[in-house]
Amino acid sequence: MIKNRWTAGIRIESKLSIGDVPFYKNPFVYLRGVAAMRYQGELTTFNMGFYFDIRLKNQLSLYTGLLVKANLGTDKLSDNDLTKMNAYFYKDQTGTRLVGDYRHRMNYFLVPIMLKYKFKNQIHIAAGPQLGLMYKSWIEFNSDIDGHDATIKDYNREDINKIDAGIALGLGYRLFKGAGWTISAKYYYGFVDVYKNISGTKNSSIFMELCIPVGAGKKLLRKR
């Protein structure tokens, strides 16, 4: 009998929060002592990678892959946040503080290693560890200066832990039978402090995924 043992495909992922939603539904880096409600607002980022769905037994499979460019971070940093991060406050030539918004951005390679259980009604659940490797980090200042949009990036990679690790939980639905397209939502919570010298800073994000299969492996033909 010939059976699919693994499926490979393209993974498109979006980190999304829109409108006046509760803070726990927004992607953010949690800063101890800072009100997370401040991160409400609109934030959408799109990422792409690839995945492998390896069937282990019956309806149980191993889901893994690589998200090539994952964007994490926070918006609307307060003066207290910037002080903790040892960030620079931008001023004009007269020494007056420039008006604008500060935000923190980090780029990661992400590798989920999750067990996935598929129900007969096309729904699946998944859980397992996720590992991250940070390769770029900066604090970004955005301002309107004399009618011109200005963006300044202050790179702070040396202040960030390169390795991140945590737990991911997912819920999804297969759109077509067989190795069809799947959509899913995933929540990730990191166990490693983002900043080397600031305890209590953790990555925490909600992701929406679209997985498109492009190939499937086969078991060898065997006699029953």
Side-chain angles (χ1 to χ4, degrees):
M1 186 173 68
I2 298 176
K3 292 184 178 179
N4 289 334
R5 288 304 303 270
W6 56 267
T7 302
I10 299 171
R11 173 180 166 195
I12 302 171
E13 191 164 276
S14 172
K15 186 176 68 172
L16 174 66
S17 61
I18 299 176
D20 189 16
V21 296
F23 72 89
Y24 54 81
K25 292 185 179 179
N26 282 294
F28 63 98
V29 174
Y30 173 71
L31 299 177
R32 179 179 294 169
V34 179
M37 192 71 74
R38 185 184 68 252
Y39 302 131
Q40 290 182 0
E42 182 172 338
L43 176 60
T44 306
T45 58
F46 290 94
N47 311 294
M48 182 170 289
F50 60 87
Y51 74 92
F52 293 99
D53 195 335
I54 305 168
R55 190 172 63 82
L56 300 176
K57 184 179 180 181
N58 298 329
Q59 293 161 281
L60 188 66
S61 63
L62 175 66
Y63 176 82
T64 186
L66 174 66
L67 191 61
V68 178
K69 185 179 180 182
N71 299 293
L72 301 176
T74 64
D75 284 339
K76 300 180 182 179
L77 295 172
S78 69
D79 288 355
N80 184 48
D81 299 336
L82 295 170
T83 300
K84 287 183 178 180
M85 297 175 180
N86 196 28
Y88 183 77
F89 292 90
Y90 292 97
K91 301 177 181 180
D92 62 17
Q93 295 179 346
T94 65
T96 302
R97 173 93 174 265
L98 292 175
V99 177
D101 294 325
Y102 291 84
R103 62 181 186 174
H104 184 203
R105 285 291 176 267
M106 297 173 290
N107 291 154
Y108 281 83
F109 294 113
L110 295 180
V111 178
I113 309 170
M114 305 171 70
L115 284 177
K116 184 164 70 172
Y117 184 84
K118 304 173 184 177
F119 296 96
K120 293 182 180 180
N121 59 0
Q122 313 288 10
I123 293 175
H124 71 261
I125 56 175
Q130 178 170 285
L131 305 177
L133 175 64
M134 184 276 300
Y135 62 91
K136 187 181 293 186
S137 174
W138 69 92
I139 296 175
E140 184 175 299
F141 175 67
N142 295 282
S143 181
D144 183 349
I145 301 176
D146 296 329
H148 300 281
D149 291 333
T151 298
I152 303 174
K153 294 182 179 180
D154 182 16
Y155 290 92
N156 64 343
R157 180 180 173 183
E158 65 280 0
D159 298 329
I160 309 298
N161 284 311
K162 292 183 179 179
I163 303 299
D164 187 41
I167 189 73
L169 303 173
L171 175 66
Y173 181 77
R174 187 172 58 190
L175 299 177
F176 311 106
K177 291 184 178 181
W181 293 25
T182 61
I183 56 173
S184 61
K186 182 180 71 178
Y187 173 73
Y188 171 74
Y189 183 80
F191 297 148
V192 180
D193 285 329
V194 174
Y195 277 81
K196 295 178 180 178
N197 300 319
I198 306 178
S199 62
T201 55
K202 313 290 184 185
N203 273 319
S204 178
S205 298
I206 294 175
F207 297 93
M208 298 298 297
E209 295 180 351
L210 172 63
C211 294
I212 306 171
V214 295
K218 301 289 186 180
K219 246 187 173 181
L220 293 176
L221 183 66
R222 67 184 183 185
K223 293 181 179 180
R224 297 189 62 181

PDB file of all heavy atoms in Angstrom, residues 170-201:
ATOM      1  N   GLY A 170      -1.059  25.868  18.531  1.00  0.00           N
ATOM      2  CA  GLY A 170      -1.724  26.222  17.283  1.00  0.00           C
ATOM      3  C   GLY A 170      -3.049  25.520  17.084  1.00  0.00           C
ATOM      4  O   GLY A 170      -3.298  24.437  17.633  1.00  0.00           O
ATOM      5  N   LEU A 171      -3.909  26.146  16.295  1.00  0.00           N
ATOM      6  CA  LEU A 171      -5.208  25.596  15.907  1.00  0.00           C
ATOM      7  C   LEU A 171      -5.414  25.927  14.442  1.00  0.00           C
ATOM      8  O   LEU A 171      -5.260  27.086  14.030  1.00  0.00           O
ATOM      9  CB  LEU A 171      -6.331  26.199  16.752  1.00  0.00           C
ATOM     10  CG  LEU A 171      -7.767  25.800  16.372  1.00  0.00           C
ATOM     11  CD1 LEU A 171      -7.989  24.309  16.624  1.00  0.00           C
ATOM     12  CD2 LEU A 171      -8.774  26.632  17.155  1.00  0.00           C
ATOM     13  N   GLY A 172      -5.757  24.896  13.627  1.00  0.00           N
ATOM     14  CA  GLY A 172      -5.875  25.151  12.201  1.00  0.00           C
ATOM     15  C   GLY A 172      -6.950  24.332  11.518  1.00  0.00           C
ATOM     16  O   GLY A 172      -7.590  23.470  12.130  1.00  0.00           O
ATOM     17  N   TYR A 173      -7.114  24.619  10.228  1.00  0.00           N
ATOM     18  CA  TYR A 173      -8.143  23.958   9.421  1.00  0.00           C
ATOM     19  C   TYR A 173      -7.584  23.687   8.032  1.00  0.00           C
ATOM     20  O   TYR A 173      -7.002  24.580   7.397  1.00  0.00           O
ATOM     21  CB  TYR A 173      -9.388  24.836   9.322  1.00  0.00           C
ATOM     22  CG  TYR A 173     -10.516  24.221   8.532  1.00  0.00           C
ATOM     23  CD1 TYR A 173     -11.321  23.233   9.079  1.00  0.00           C
ATOM     24  CD2 TYR A 173     -10.758  24.629   7.217  1.00  0.00           C
ATOM     25  CE1 TYR A 173     -12.343  22.652   8.347  1.00  0.00           C
ATOM     26  CE2 TYR A 173     -11.790  24.064   6.483  1.00  0.00           C
ATOM     27  CZ  TYR A 173     -12.582  23.077   7.047  1.00  0.00           C
ATOM     28  OH  TYR A 173     -13.602  22.502   6.320  1.00  0.00           O
ATOM     29  N   ARG A 174      -7.778  22.474   7.533  1.00  0.00           N
ATOM     30  CA  ARG A 174      -7.345  22.101   6.185  1.00  0.00           C
ATOM     31  C   ARG A 174      -8.458  22.425   5.203  1.00  0.00           C
ATOM     32  O   ARG A 174      -9.589  21.953   5.332  1.00  0.00           O
ATOM     33  CB  ARG A 174      -6.990  20.620   6.131  1.00  0.00           C
ATOM     34  CG  ARG A 174      -6.362  20.200   4.809  1.00  0.00           C
ATOM     35  CD  ARG A 174      -5.849  18.779   4.888  1.00  0.00           C
ATOM     36  NE  ARG A 174      -6.922  17.845   5.238  1.00  0.00           N
ATOM     37  CZ  ARG A 174      -6.726  16.575   5.561  1.00  0.00           C
ATOM     38  NH1 ARG A 174      -5.494  16.114   5.626  1.00  0.00           N
ATOM     39  NH2 ARG A 174      -7.730  15.778   5.842  1.00  0.00           N
ATOM     40  N   LEU A 175      -8.129  23.229   4.189  1.00  0.00           N
ATOM     41  CA  LEU A 175      -9.144  23.710   3.259  1.00  0.00           C
ATOM     42  C   LEU A 175      -9.582  22.644   2.271  1.00  0.00           C
ATOM     43  O   LEU A 175     -10.721  22.629   1.831  1.00  0.00           O
ATOM     44  CB  LEU A 175      -8.610  24.930   2.506  1.00  0.00           C
ATOM     45  CG  LEU A 175      -8.244  26.146   3.365  1.00  0.00           C
ATOM     46  CD1 LEU A 175      -7.662  27.249   2.498  1.00  0.00           C
ATOM     47  CD2 LEU A 175      -9.460  26.662   4.120  1.00  0.00           C
ATOM     48  N   PHE A 176      -8.665  21.759   1.891  1.00  0.00           N
ATOM     49  CA  PHE A 176      -8.979  20.718   0.925  1.00  0.00           C
ATOM     50  C   PHE A 176      -8.541  19.369   1.479  1.00  0.00           C
ATOM     51  O   PHE A 176      -7.641  19.297   2.315  1.00  0.00           O
ATOM     52  CB  PHE A 176      -8.270  20.982  -0.411  1.00  0.00           C
ATOM     53  CG  PHE A 176      -8.456  22.375  -0.916  1.00  0.00           C
ATOM     54  CD1 PHE A 176      -7.419  23.294  -0.844  1.00  0.00           C
ATOM     55  CD2 PHE A 176      -9.662  22.790  -1.447  1.00  0.00           C
ATOM     56  CE1 PHE A 176      -7.571  24.592  -1.296  1.00  0.00           C
ATOM     57  CE2 PHE A 176      -9.836  24.078  -1.908  1.00  0.00           C
ATOM     58  CZ  PHE A 176      -8.796  24.985  -1.830  1.00  0.00           C
ATOM     59  N   LYS A 177      -9.150  18.303   1.010  1.00  0.00           N
ATOM     60  CA  LYS A 177      -8.797  16.974   1.471  1.00  0.00           C
ATOM     61  C   LYS A 177      -7.407  16.594   0.968  1.00  0.00           C
ATOM     62  O   LYS A 177      -6.895  17.159   0.008  1.00  0.00           O
ATOM     63  CB  LYS A 177      -9.836  15.953   0.998  1.00  0.00           C
ATOM     64  CG  LYS A 177     -11.196  16.101   1.671  1.00  0.00           C
ATOM     65  CD  LYS A 177     -12.140  15.000   1.228  1.00  0.00           C
ATOM     66  CE  LYS A 177     -13.488  15.128   1.931  1.00  0.00           C
ATOM     67  NZ  LYS A 177     -14.426  14.057   1.530  1.00  0.00           N
ATOM     68  N   GLY A 178      -6.822  15.596   1.610  1.00  0.00           N
ATOM     69  CA  GLY A 178      -5.472  15.184   1.254  1.00  0.00           C
ATOM     70  C   GLY A 178      -4.461  16.181   1.786  1.00  0.00           C
ATOM     71  O   GLY A 178      -4.633  16.745   2.857  1.00  0.00           O
ATOM     72  N   ALA A 179      -3.392  16.404   1.040  1.00  0.00           N
ATOM     73  CA  ALA A 179      -2.364  17.366   1.445  1.00  0.00           C
ATOM     74  C   ALA A 179      -2.737  18.748   0.927  1.00  0.00           C
ATOM     75  O   ALA A 179      -2.053  19.335   0.091  1.00  0.00           O
ATOM     76  CB  ALA A 179      -0.995  16.935   0.919  1.00  0.00           C
ATOM     77  N   GLY A 180      -3.863  19.263   1.401  1.00  0.00           N
ATOM     78  CA  GLY A 180      -4.375  20.532   0.903  1.00  0.00           C
ATOM     79  C   GLY A 180      -3.842  21.730   1.657  1.00  0.00           C
ATOM     80  O   GLY A 180      -3.083  21.611   2.611  1.00  0.00           O
ATOM     81  N   TRP A 181      -4.230  22.910   1.217  1.00  0.00           N
ATOM     82  CA  TRP A 181      -3.856  24.146   1.891  1.00  0.00           C
ATOM     83  C   TRP A 181      -4.422  24.133   3.305  1.00  0.00           C
ATOM     84  O   TRP A 181      -5.528  23.636   3.543  1.00  0.00           O
ATOM     85  CB  TRP A 181      -4.413  25.353   1.146  1.00  0.00           C
ATOM     86  CG  TRP A 181      -3.807  25.587  -0.206  1.00  0.00           C
ATOM     87  CD1 TRP A 181      -3.214  24.666  -1.014  1.00  0.00           C
ATOM     88  CD2 TRP A 181      -3.755  26.830  -0.895  1.00  0.00           C
ATOM     89  NE1 TRP A 181      -2.786  25.246  -2.178  1.00  0.00           N
ATOM     90  CE2 TRP A 181      -3.108  26.575  -2.142  1.00  0.00           C
ATOM     91  CE3 TRP A 181      -4.181  28.115  -0.605  1.00  0.00           C
ATOM     92  CZ2 TRP A 181      -2.881  27.583  -3.057  1.00  0.00           C
ATOM     93  CZ3 TRP A 181      -3.964  29.116  -1.532  1.00  0.00           C
ATOM     94  CH2 TRP A 181      -3.326  28.858  -2.751  1.00  0.00           C
ATOM     95  N   THR A 182      -3.690  24.720   4.228  1.00  0.00           N
ATOM     96  CA  THR A 182      -4.179  24.831   5.599  1.00  0.00           C
ATOM     97  C   THR A 182      -4.006  26.260   6.087  1.00  0.00           C
ATOM     98  O   THR A 182      -3.048  26.947   5.719  1.00  0.00           O
ATOM     99  CB  THR A 182      -3.441  23.874   6.555  1.00  0.00           C
ATOM    100  OG1 THR A 182      -2.039  24.200   6.559  1.00  0.00           O
ATOM    101  CG2 THR A 182      -3.633  22.430   6.142  1.00  0.00           C
ATOM    102  N   ILE A 183      -4.951  26.692   6.908  1.00  0.00           N
ATOM    103  CA  ILE A 183      -4.834  27.974   7.593  1.00  0.00           C
ATOM    104  C   ILE A 183      -4.833  27.691   9.084  1.00  0.00           C
ATOM    105  O   ILE A 183      -5.492  26.757   9.548  1.00  0.00           O
ATOM    106  CB  ILE A 183      -5.981  28.936   7.214  1.00  0.00           C
ATOM    107  CG1 ILE A 183      -7.349  28.296   7.506  1.00  0.00           C
ATOM    108  CG2 ILE A 183      -5.876  29.361   5.765  1.00  0.00           C
ATOM    109  CD1 ILE A 183      -8.512  29.251   7.311  1.00  0.00           C
ATOM    110  N   SER A 184      -4.083  28.479   9.834  1.00  0.00           N
ATOM    111  CA  SER A 184      -4.004  28.234  11.261  1.00  0.00           C
ATOM    112  C   SER A 184      -3.621  29.500  12.007  1.00  0.00           C
ATOM    113  O   SER A 184      -3.076  30.447  11.427  1.00  0.00           O
ATOM    114  CB  SER A 184      -2.997  27.113  11.557  1.00  0.00           C
ATOM    115  OG  SER A 184      -1.710  27.474  11.109  1.00  0.00           O
ATOM    116  N   ALA A 185      -3.912  29.501  13.296  1.00  0.00           N
ATOM    117  CA  ALA A 185      -3.496  30.564  14.202  1.00  0.00           C
ATOM    118  C   ALA A 185      -2.558  29.954  15.231  1.00  0.00           C
ATOM    119  O   ALA A 185      -2.777  28.835  15.706  1.00  0.00           O
ATOM    120  CB  ALA A 185      -4.706  31.191  14.888  1.00  0.00           C
ATOM    121  N   LYS A 186      -1.515  30.691  15.567  1.00  0.00           N
ATOM    122  CA  LYS A 186      -0.528  30.170  16.500  1.00  0.00           C
ATOM    123  C   LYS A 186      -0.162  31.225  17.526  1.00  0.00           C
ATOM    124  O   LYS A 186       0.036  32.394  17.184  1.00  0.00           O
ATOM    125  CB  LYS A 186       0.729  29.723  15.752  1.00  0.00           C
ATOM    126  CG  LYS A 186       1.812  29.110  16.634  1.00  0.00           C
ATOM    127  CD  LYS A 186       3.020  28.699  15.799  1.00  0.00           C
ATOM    128  CE  LYS A 186       3.783  29.899  15.295  1.00  0.00           C
ATOM    129  NZ  LYS A 186       4.989  29.529  14.526  1.00  0.00           N
ATOM    130  N   TYR A 187      -0.104  30.810  18.789  1.00  0.00           N
ATOM    131  CA  TYR A 187       0.350  31.707  19.851  1.00  0.00           C
ATOM    132  C   TYR A 187       1.710  31.229  20.334  1.00  0.00           C
ATOM    133  O   TYR A 187       1.918  30.038  20.586  1.00  0.00           O
ATOM    134  CB  TYR A 187      -0.628  31.722  21.026  1.00  0.00           C
ATOM    135  CG  TYR A 187      -0.099  32.507  22.213  1.00  0.00           C
ATOM    136  CD1 TYR A 187      -0.050  33.892  22.169  1.00  0.00           C
ATOM    137  CD2 TYR A 187       0.361  31.851  23.354  1.00  0.00           C
ATOM    138  CE1 TYR A 187       0.446  34.613  23.232  1.00  0.00           C
ATOM    139  CE2 TYR A 187       0.861  32.571  24.422  1.00  0.00           C
ATOM    140  CZ  TYR A 187       0.899  33.949  24.359  1.00  0.00           C
ATOM    141  OH  TYR A 187       1.403  34.656  25.420  1.00  0.00           O
ATOM    142  N   TYR A 188       2.645  32.163  20.464  1.00  0.00           N
ATOM    143  CA  TYR A 188       3.996  31.833  20.916  1.00  0.00           C
ATOM    144  C   TYR A 188       4.348  32.649  22.140  1.00  0.00           C
ATOM    145  O   TYR A 188       4.107  33.861  22.195  1.00  0.00           O
ATOM    146  CB  TYR A 188       5.016  32.120  19.806  1.00  0.00           C
ATOM    147  CG  TYR A 188       6.447  32.014  20.293  1.00  0.00           C
ATOM    148  CD1 TYR A 188       7.021  30.768  20.537  1.00  0.00           C
ATOM    149  CD2 TYR A 188       7.210  33.153  20.534  1.00  0.00           C
ATOM    150  CE1 TYR A 188       8.325  30.670  21.005  1.00  0.00           C
ATOM    151  CE2 TYR A 188       8.505  33.063  21.000  1.00  0.00           C
ATOM    152  CZ  TYR A 188       9.054  31.819  21.238  1.00  0.00           C
ATOM    153  OH  TYR A 188      10.339  31.718  21.709  1.00  0.00           O
ATOM    154  N   TYR A 189       4.930  31.965  23.139  1.00  0.00           N
ATOM    155  CA  TYR A 189       5.436  32.658  24.325  1.00  0.00           C
ATOM    156  C   TYR A 189       6.866  32.206  24.584  1.00  0.00           C
ATOM    157  O   TYR A 189       7.146  31.017  24.725  1.00  0.00           O
ATOM    158  CB  TYR A 189       4.584  32.351  25.554  1.00  0.00           C
ATOM    159  CG  TYR A 189       5.040  33.107  26.782  1.00  0.00           C
ATOM    160  CD1 TYR A 189       4.684  34.438  26.960  1.00  0.00           C
ATOM    161  CD2 TYR A 189       5.851  32.494  27.738  1.00  0.00           C
ATOM    162  CE1 TYR A 189       5.111  35.145  28.064  1.00  0.00           C
ATOM    163  CE2 TYR A 189       6.284  33.194  28.844  1.00  0.00           C
ATOM    164  CZ  TYR A 189       5.923  34.519  29.002  1.00  0.00           C
ATOM    165  OH  TYR A 189       6.364  35.220  30.096  1.00  0.00           O
ATOM    166  N   GLY A 190       7.787  33.170  24.630  1.00  0.00           N
ATOM    167  CA  GLY A 190       9.199  32.861  24.825  1.00  0.00           C
ATOM    168  C   GLY A 190       9.567  32.735  26.290  1.00  0.00           C
ATOM    169  O   GLY A 190       8.993  33.405  27.154  1.00  0.00           O
ATOM    170  N   PHE A 191      10.563  31.881  26.554  1.00  0.00           N
ATOM    171  CA  PHE A 191      11.054  31.672  27.915  1.00  0.00           C
ATOM    172  C   PHE A 191      12.356  32.423  28.196  1.00  0.00           C
ATOM    173  O   PHE A 191      12.799  32.490  29.339  1.00  0.00           O
ATOM    174  CB  PHE A 191      11.295  30.175  28.165  1.00  0.00           C
ATOM    175  CG  PHE A 191      10.050  29.336  28.078  1.00  0.00           C
ATOM    176  CD1 PHE A 191      10.117  28.028  27.632  1.00  0.00           C
ATOM    177  CD2 PHE A 191       8.806  29.851  28.433  1.00  0.00           C
ATOM    178  CE1 PHE A 191       8.977  27.243  27.551  1.00  0.00           C
ATOM    179  CE2 PHE A 191       7.664  29.083  28.348  1.00  0.00           C
ATOM    180  CZ  PHE A 191       7.746  27.774  27.908  1.00  0.00           C
ATOM    181  N   VAL A 192      12.973  32.973  27.150  1.00  0.00           N
ATOM    182  CA  VAL A 192      14.269  33.640  27.284  1.00  0.00           C
ATOM    183  C   VAL A 192      14.066  35.153  27.266  1.00  0.00           C
ATOM    184  O   VAL A 192      13.291  35.675  26.458  1.00  0.00           O
ATOM    185  CB  VAL A 192      15.212  33.220  26.140  1.00  0.00           C
ATOM    186  CG1 VAL A 192      16.569  33.915  26.272  1.00  0.00           C
ATOM    187  CG2 VAL A 192      15.388  31.704  26.128  1.00  0.00           C
ATOM    188  N   ASP A 193      14.762  35.859  28.167  1.00  0.00           N
ATOM    189  CA  ASP A 193      14.699  37.312  28.153  1.00  0.00           C
ATOM    190  C   ASP A 193      15.225  37.852  26.831  1.00  0.00           C
ATOM    191  O   ASP A 193      16.258  37.402  26.331  1.00  0.00           O
ATOM    192  CB  ASP A 193      15.529  37.905  29.302  1.00  0.00           C
ATOM    193  CG  ASP A 193      14.843  37.757  30.648  1.00  0.00           C
ATOM    194  OD1 ASP A 193      13.605  37.776  30.680  1.00  0.00           O
ATOM    195  OD2 ASP A 193      15.556  37.629  31.660  1.00  0.00           O
ATOM    196  N   VAL A 194      14.512  38.818  26.263  1.00  0.00           N
ATOM    197  CA  VAL A 194      14.951  39.435  25.016  1.00  0.00           C
ATOM    198  C   VAL A 194      16.227  40.238  25.246  1.00  0.00           C
ATOM    199  O   VAL A 194      17.218  40.094  24.521  1.00  0.00           O
ATOM    200  CB  VAL A 194      13.842  40.330  24.438  1.00  0.00           C
ATOM    201  CG1 VAL A 194      14.346  41.085  23.211  1.00  0.00           C
ATOM    202  CG2 VAL A 194      12.623  39.501  24.088  1.00  0.00           C
ATOM    203  N   TYR A 195      16.216  41.105  26.271  1.00  0.00           N
ATOM    204  CA  TYR A 195      17.374  41.939  26.586  1.00  0.00           C
ATOM    205  C   TYR A 195      18.293  41.226  27.568  1.00  0.00           C
ATOM    206  O   TYR A 195      17.838  40.622  28.539  1.00  0.00           O
ATOM    207  CB  TYR A 195      16.925  43.273  27.170  1.00  0.00           C
ATOM    208  CG  TYR A 195      16.546  44.288  26.118  1.00  0.00           C
ATOM    209  CD1 TYR A 195      15.294  44.250  25.527  1.00  0.00           C
ATOM    210  CD2 TYR A 195      17.448  45.254  25.701  1.00  0.00           C
ATOM    211  CE1 TYR A 195      14.948  45.167  24.544  1.00  0.00           C
ATOM    212  CE2 TYR A 195      17.114  46.174  24.729  1.00  0.00           C
ATOM    213  CZ  TYR A 195      15.865  46.119  24.152  1.00  0.00           C
ATOM    214  OH  TYR A 195      15.533  47.016  23.175  1.00  0.00           O
ATOM    215  N   LYS A 196      19.595  41.311  27.333  1.00  0.00           N
ATOM    216  CA  LYS A 196      20.560  40.645  28.192  1.00  0.00           C
ATOM    217  C   LYS A 196      20.535  41.192  29.612  1.00  0.00           C
ATOM    218  O   LYS A 196      20.726  40.441  30.578  1.00  0.00           O
ATOM    219  CB  LYS A 196      21.969  40.814  27.604  1.00  0.00           C
ATOM    220  CG  LYS A 196      22.179  40.136  26.264  1.00  0.00           C
ATOM    221  CD  LYS A 196      23.573  40.390  25.738  1.00  0.00           C
ATOM    222  CE  LYS A 196      23.804  39.710  24.393  1.00  0.00           C
ATOM    223  NZ  LYS A 196      25.164  39.992  23.851  1.00  0.00           N
ATOM    224  N   ASN A 197      20.304  42.481  29.761  1.00  0.00           N
ATOM    225  CA  ASN A 197      20.412  43.120  31.071  1.00  0.00           C
ATOM    226  C   ASN A 197      19.072  43.580  31.641  1.00  0.00           C
ATOM    227  O   ASN A 197      19.033  44.348  32.595  1.00  0.00           O
ATOM    228  CB  ASN A 197      21.361  44.320  30.984  1.00  0.00           C
ATOM    229  CG  ASN A 197      22.761  43.924  30.547  1.00  0.00           C
ATOM    230  OD1 ASN A 197      23.283  42.897  30.989  1.00  0.00           O
ATOM    231  ND2 ASN A 197      23.367  44.718  29.683  1.00  0.00           N
ATOM    232  N   ILE A 198      17.961  43.127  31.031  1.00  0.00           N
ATOM    233  CA  ILE A 198      16.636  43.505  31.536  1.00  0.00           C
ATOM    234  C   ILE A 198      15.844  42.228  31.759  1.00  0.00           C
ATOM    235  O   ILE A 198      15.406  41.582  30.796  1.00  0.00           O
ATOM    236  CB  ILE A 198      15.881  44.429  30.557  1.00  0.00           C
ATOM    237  CG1 ILE A 198      16.721  45.650  30.198  1.00  0.00           C
ATOM    238  CG2 ILE A 198      14.560  44.871  31.172  1.00  0.00           C
ATOM    239  CD1 ILE A 198      16.050  46.575  29.193  1.00  0.00           C
ATOM    240  N   SER A 199      15.667  41.852  33.015  1.00  0.00           N
ATOM    241  CA  SER A 199      14.926  40.630  33.317  1.00  0.00           C
ATOM    242  C   SER A 199      13.433  40.848  33.113  1.00  0.00           C
ATOM    243  O   SER A 199      12.919  41.964  33.278  1.00  0.00           O
ATOM    244  CB  SER A 199      15.190  40.187  34.760  1.00  0.00           C
ATOM    245  OG  SER A 199      14.740  41.168  35.672  1.00  0.00           O
ATOM    246  N   GLY A 200      12.734  39.786  32.750  1.00  0.00           N
ATOM    247  CA  GLY A 200      11.284  39.870  32.575  1.00  0.00           C
ATOM    248  C   GLY A 200      10.839  40.281  31.196  1.00  0.00           C
ATOM    249  O   GLY A 200       9.650  40.499  30.967  1.00  0.00           O
ATOM    250  N   THR A 201      11.765  40.408  30.223  1.00  0.00           N
ATOM    251  CA  THR A 201      11.374  40.746  28.855  1.00  0.00           C
ATOM    252  C   THR A 201      11.264  39.454  28.053  1.00  0.00           C
ATOM    253  O   THR A 201      12.242  38.713  27.914  1.00  0.00           O
ATOM    254  CB  THR A 201      12.401  41.686  28.197  1.00  0.00           C
ATOM    255  OG1 THR A 201      13.692  41.079  28.271  1.00  0.00           O
ATOM    256  CG2 THR A 201      12.441  43.020  28.921  1.00  0.00           C
TER     257      THR A 201
END
